Amino acid sequence: MPLQSLYADNYMPVGDVLTMAVCYVIIIVMFFSFIKRTRSFRVFLTILLFLILASMANIGYYTVLEHMGVQGGSIVGVLRLIMHASLFIIFFLFTRYIAIVTDLNHKLSLWSSFIGGIITCFVIIWDLVDTLDSRWGFRITEAGIQTGPNIFMFGYIAYVILLGALLIYVRNRIYNRVLYGFYCTVILAVSLNMIQRFSGQSSLMIGSFLLPVIAMFYIMHSNPYDVRLGSLNISAMDDMIRFYREKKVPFGYMSLFMHTFSENHAPVPASMQETIRRFSSSYFRDARLFHVSSGHFLLIYTLKRNPDYEKRISSILKAFTQEYSRFKQDYKIVIGRCTDQLSNHNEYISFIRSIHRNMAENTVHFVTEKDSADYDREAYILRELTDIYRVRRLDDPRVLVYCQPVYNIRLGRYDTAEALMRLNLKETGIVYPDQFIPLAEENGYIHILTQIILHKTCEAVRVLIAEGYNFTRISVNVSALELKDQYFCRDISGIIEESEIPGNRVAIELTESQDESDFLIMQQRINELKDLGIKFYLDDFGTGYSSLERIMQLPFDIIKFDRSLVIASASNSRSAQIVGNMAKLFAEMDFSVLYEGVEDSGDEHRCIAMSASYLQGFKYSRPVPIDEMRHFFSLSA
Ligand code: C2E
Ligand code: CA
Ligand code: CA
């Protein structure tokens, strides 16, 4: 009888070779696409390695059997042991994997590992004894292979029950479709194995373990390239940065931001994607492109592979200028190097965003030491803002109300003022609005600041009234974003009522919005609060895309002409005429006109000639603490 049929059933190595090949492919793909090295990822990688080991052992097992027969006895035994042990370690790792990805509670996770561990250890120890002892159990004789009780099958069934129970238990912890995907592959794997057993085959035994592994890879760990762009998902960046930090590999980065796509959440057009891909691969060696968000790309390159990176940067920028003339999309480019200050991708991205805030469109910025210091400062301010938001104290001492008096031309005295916010923080001292208002707006903290300023202003107004000061009202700035909040009117009216001052002693300054739906909301809110007597000012007129028609539809009391119009009116007589005519138009429609940023007598005279009712600016006073309004308002006789 030929040995082949005596010892080995209809085994063909193709199944195991394929299994190994697939494992290698998965590893290669993962290596080139930088996958987030989570705990589940490490377990997954270990599973792959054991699968490869099992396949090799199995191929070895049958090869030795076929060629050496009885002489190969002990080698065959060891290979079989390695194969069985690997498979049961894989089973155990499957148990761990499910527990990790579903965030199983500690107790259950421990129990499942414990039961799995016992099955695995039992099978391995049994196999070990079974193989070592040549009198019984697994041995090769002239008559063929002799085996003891089929403990492998017992272990296999035990694990199918354990894993099945686990998968059913965690059914509410993972997204249904993902779970069904796993159910299907497990059922397929078990069926495949059963069919093989019944048909006296074993070529696909190890291959059947591959099925759930492929599902795991595809669902949980694939981080595919955007083939068009050649970019990687942003989560991969974290991993890369950590890797470079650990290995102390210095790297540089280049960020391209295009606000048009960012605002519309639109993908960049195909021709542009093509260009970005070409750029990301042509100028630096081994550079990787990450797609941060719509319209924001980040290219990372190591300095070691690109020692002449400065030259490369200048050539990429030169080529970029040419492309710009083709696409004509506004951009901001930031170029920098790794720093110890930033430790993960989120920090790099918020650092770059903080730089964007102070950058003009279509400029390139090379990161400096000062940017880092500014970022530290900003991070500190943001922490304080978060705390202000968290504690929700309307009298929070960190928020200061400064005030700038406004001159009423008809009355010939200061009778109103604008409240302007400052922060007073321990580490920075006084912080000005340009350094915290955008931050507060971006992070959703602006409304609490408005409430604090309004509360403090109302308190000051109450005291000034009680002391007999003669003034009409004080205005407070409100951010357009806040109006969308459904409780906006309730919050504002609540604070005014609490302070027991009449609603007409305060005003709200709003800037115009471009959006139709924003406009409708603004109209609603103004009308609701007007009923309480609150006055409304249109702030910064002349800086936005003003539609006079729309403005006139809103019941504003005062139109504040921005300082840029005051400056323009000084530049030539034509500009002065335009500004003057607009002001006249408003005045005729019963809006009062206020000029902001009146710095000297020249400004003052021009503004008075251009239908001004009110004047505000450094000529009269810089913003001062609200208590100092006593110096500007007169006492009633
Ligand atoms: P804004 O509402 O247009 O405030 C007027 C700004 O112009 C103030 O700057 C003021 O100090 C400045 N200013 C006044 N007179 C002159 C002048 O003669 N020449 C020049 N060049 N500037 C003058 P500030 O206080 O730094 O505020 C800047 C912006 O921050 C404000 O612009 C406003 O948009 C925002 N802001 C200030 N306080 C608040 C607040 O409580 N809430 C909200 N949402 N925004 C605020
Ligand atoms: Ca204002
Ligand atoms: Ca203004």
Side-chain angles (χ1 to χ4, degrees):
M1 207 186 232
L3 270 176
Q4 167 88 32
S5 56
L6 184 65
Y7 299 112
D9 47 21
N10 304 314
Y11 175 79
M12 282 188 298
V14 60
D16 290 327
V17 172
L18 201 62
T19 302
M20 283 198 297
V22 172
C23 290
Y24 284 130
V25 169
I26 293 177
I27 291 174
I28 290 169
V29 167
M30 288 195 308
F31 176 77
F32 282 104
S33 56
F34 266 97
I35 285 162
K36 211 168 163 50
R37 286 176 172 47
T38 51
R39 254 173 85 206
S40 61
F41 174 81
R42 286 196 293 270
V43 174
F44 177 72
L45 205 65
T46 320
I47 292 176
L48 285 179
L49 297 177
F50 274 106
L51 255 184
I52 294 174
L53 184 64
S55 308
M56 291 196 317
N58 206 32
I59 295 174
Y61 170 85
Y62 284 106
T63 315
V64 176
L65 253 190
E66 189 185 338
H67 295 291
M68 297 171 72
V70 186
Q71 286 84 45
S74 49
I75 303 176
V76 166
V78 170
L79 289 170
R80 178 174 172 273
L81 185 63
I82 292 176
M83 195 263 286
H84 282 184
S86 304
L87 292 184
F88 276 88
I89 290 171
I90 292 173
F91 265 136
F92 176 74
L93 292 171
F94 278 158
T95 320
R96 292 297 311 140
Y97 186 84
I98 295 174
I100 293 170
V101 295
T102 59
D103 235 343
L104 204 61
N105 64 51
H106 188 67
K107 211 169 130 200
L108 257 167
S109 157
L110 221 68
W111 264 110
S112 60
S113 304
F114 179 68
I115 298 173
I118 290 205
I119 305 174
T120 297
C121 289
F122 181 70
V123 171
I124 294 177
I125 291 169
W126 180 284
D127 247 17
L128 194 68
V129 176
D130 180 278
T131 316
L132 286 182
D133 194 310
S134 55
R135 286 159 301 162
W136 68 284
F138 179 83
R139 59 201 186 280
I140 301 170
T141 64
E142 294 297 337
I145 296 171
Q146 309 284 318
T147 50
N150 196 344
I151 202 70
F152 182 90
M153 207 52 202
F154 158 78
Y156 191 95
I157 292 169
Y159 256 117
V160 169
I161 294 170
L162 176 64
L163 292 173
L166 258 183
L167 277 177
I168 290 170
Y169 182 82
V170 300
R171 69 188 177 282
N172 295 326
R173 292 167 168 264
I174 15 183
Y175 177 50
N176 269 350
R177 283 171 167 269
V178 169
L179 194 69
Y180 295 155
F182 281 124
Y183 283 158
C184 290
T185 50
V186 170
I187 292 170
L188 215 69
V190 174
S191 323
L192 183 68
N193 236 334
M194 292 301 155
I195 293 169
Q196 280 200 91
R197 288 257 149 194
F198 287 121
S199 55
Q201 250 285 355
S202 64
S203 309
L204 295 178
M205 225 283 279
I206 297 168
S208 70
F209 280 72
L210 191 60
L211 303 181
V213 167
I214 292 175
M216 281 150 78
F217 172 64
Y218 185 78
I219 298 173
M220 312 293 294
H221 304 290
S222 61
N223 189 3
Y225 279 92
D226 179 326
V227 177
R228 261 237 159 83
L229 266 167
S231 69
L232 282 161
N233 190 297
I234 191 66
S235 62
M237 185 176 149
D238 205 22
D239 195 52
M240 193 168 131
I241 289 174
R242 189 146 8 100
F243 179 76
Y244 284 165
R245 269 173 78 93
E246 267 168 26
K247 298 268 177 301
K248 300 217 180 326
V249 178
F251 63 88
Y253 59 86
M254 192 166 196
S255 144
L256 168 65
F257 175 74
M258 291 174 288
H259 71 89
T260 331
F261 305 109
S262 162
E263 278 150 24
N264 305 329
H265 298 285
V268 298
S271 56
M272 214 159 164
Q273 290 190 10
E274 218 268 349
T275 313
I276 291 174
R277 187 191 64 226
R278 196 159 40 74
F279 267 66
S280 67
S281 55
S282 318
Y283 291 88
F284 296 96
R285 291 163 79 180
D286 266 2
R288 285 201 172 76
L289 181 69
F290 295 95
H291 196 174
V292 177
S293 55
S294 326
H296 192 183
F297 302 92
L298 192 66
L299 190 65
I300 295 189
Y301 43 87
T302 63
L303 302 187
K304 208 161 149 204
R305 296 279 287 149
N306 301 277
D308 51 347
Y309 62 93
E310 278 166 349
K311 222 170 74 198
R312 292 171 193 262
I313 289 172
S314 59
S315 52
I316 197 171
L317 287 178
K318 214 164 106 200
F320 184 88
T321 321
Q322 279 169 8
E323 294 298 332
Y324 175 68
S325 58
R326 188 152 75 97
F327 292 110
K328 298 222 164 35
Q329 283 295 341
D330 284 350
Y331 66 86
K332 290 179 180 178
I333 290 179
V334 175
I335 297 171
R337 285 179 58 161
C338 57
T339 129
D340 287 339
Q341 182 192 19
L342 308 169
S343 60
N344 59 42
H345 77 286
N346 279 329
E347 290 179 7
Y348 273 94
I349 291 164
S350 49
F351 176 59
I352 292 170
R353 287 195 180 134
S354 79
I355 293 176
H356 285 169
R357 266 196 285 281
N358 301 318
M359 257 177 101
E361 288 296 339
N362 305 325
T363 53
V364 178
H365 179 86
F366 288 86
V367 173
T368 61
E369 294 271 315
K370 184 177 173 298
D371 295 319
S372 302
D374 287 352
Y375 178 70
D376 274 346
R377 181 183 155 93
E378 193 183 288
Y380 168 70
I381 294 172
L382 183 59
R383 282 199 300 280
E384 290 288 319
L385 285 173
T386 309
D387 192 62
I388 290 171
Y389 174 77
R390 202 176 49 78
V391 301
R392 292 193 169 273
R393 271 180 64 182
L394 288 185
D395 60 346
D396 199 307
R398 289 168 288 189
V399 181
L400 304 183
V401 190
Y402 272 51
C403 226
Q404 193 177 28
V406 174
Y407 188 76
N408 182 324
I409 298 171
R410 188 177 54 83
L411 298 178
R413 61 179 166 87
Y414 301 104
D415 82 322
T416 61
E418 176 181 8
L420 293 159
M421 194 175 346
R422 307 285 182 258
L423 293 183
N424 185 12
L425 305 178
K426 211 183 264 160
E427 287 178 21
T428 54
I430 300 282
V431 185
Y432 288 87
D434 58 324
Q435 290 164 16
F436 69 85
I437 297 279
L439 263 184
E441 285 182 340
E442 275 169 35
N443 291 282
Y445 303 149
I446 189 71
H447 188 49
I448 184 70
L449 293 181
T450 298
Q451 287 172 279
I452 296 173
I453 277 290
L454 182 63
H455 167 77
K456 292 194 170 190
T457 304
C458 288
E459 284 306 303
V461 166
R462 195 174 51 80
V463 172
L464 288 170
I465 294 174
E467 288 174 1
Y469 282 95
N470 211 347
F471 67 102
T472 314
R473 68 184 95 87
I474 294 181
S475 61
V476 168
N477 291 281
V478 166
S479 164
L481 293 171
E482 294 173 64
L483 298 182
K484 294 193 180 133
D485 187 336
Q486 57 168 327
Y487 298 118
F488 176 75
C489 293
R490 188 200 65 183
D491 291 348
I492 299 294
S493 56
I495 290 171
I496 296 172
E497 276 158 21
E498 187 118 315
S499 67
E500 295 175 333
I501 58 164
N504 64 8
R505 303 306 294 260
V506 289
I508 288 178
E509 299 195 5
L510 293 172
T511 51
E512 57 194 306
S513 74
Q514 299 147 33
D515 202 280
E516 181 67 30
S517 68
D518 288 356
F519 170 77
L520 293 173
I521 289 180
M522 190 184 270
Q523 197 167 29
Q524 257 177 30
R525 301 284 191 257
I526 295 179
N527 285 327
E528 192 176 335
L529 290 175
K530 277 229 123 178
D531 291 344
L532 299 175
I534 300 172
K535 302 283 179 195
F536 280 86
Y537 299 3
L538 177 71
D539 204 355
D540 299 341
F541 174 74
T543 58
Y545 306 85
S546 311
S547 147
L548 285 186
E549 192 195 325
R550 266 198 187 165
I551 293 172
M552 304 246 177
Q553 279 172 26
L554 294 170
F556 284 116
D557 300 278
I558 292 180
I559 308 295
K560 298 187 79 169
F561 276 44
D562 188 73
R563 165 152 175 84
S564 57
L565 298 182
V566 178
I567 295 172
S569 70
S571 64
N572 59 59
S573 62
R574 201 173 146 64
S575 303
Q577 212 178 0
I578 296 175
V579 176
N581 281 335
M582 271 192 305
K584 200 165 146 224
L585 184 73
F586 278 117
E588 281 167 3
M589 302 283 295
D590 271 350
F591 294 98
S592 299
V593 172
L594 182 158
Y595 285 95
E596 286 190 281
V598 176
E599 291 190 351
D600 51 38
S601 334
D603 288 346
E604 182 180 61
H605 289 131
R606 274 196 326 283
C607 292
I608 292 174
M610 296 189 295
S611 311
S613 297
Y614 299 94
L615 301 171
Q616 177 184 352
F618 294 166
K619 163 145 206 320
Y620 312 101
S621 167
R622 292 195 171 253
V624 291
I626 194 163
D627 292 339
E628 292 181 26
M629 280 303 106
R630 290 184 179 85
H631 304 315
F632 296 93
F633 297 153
S634 55
L635 276 168
S636 336

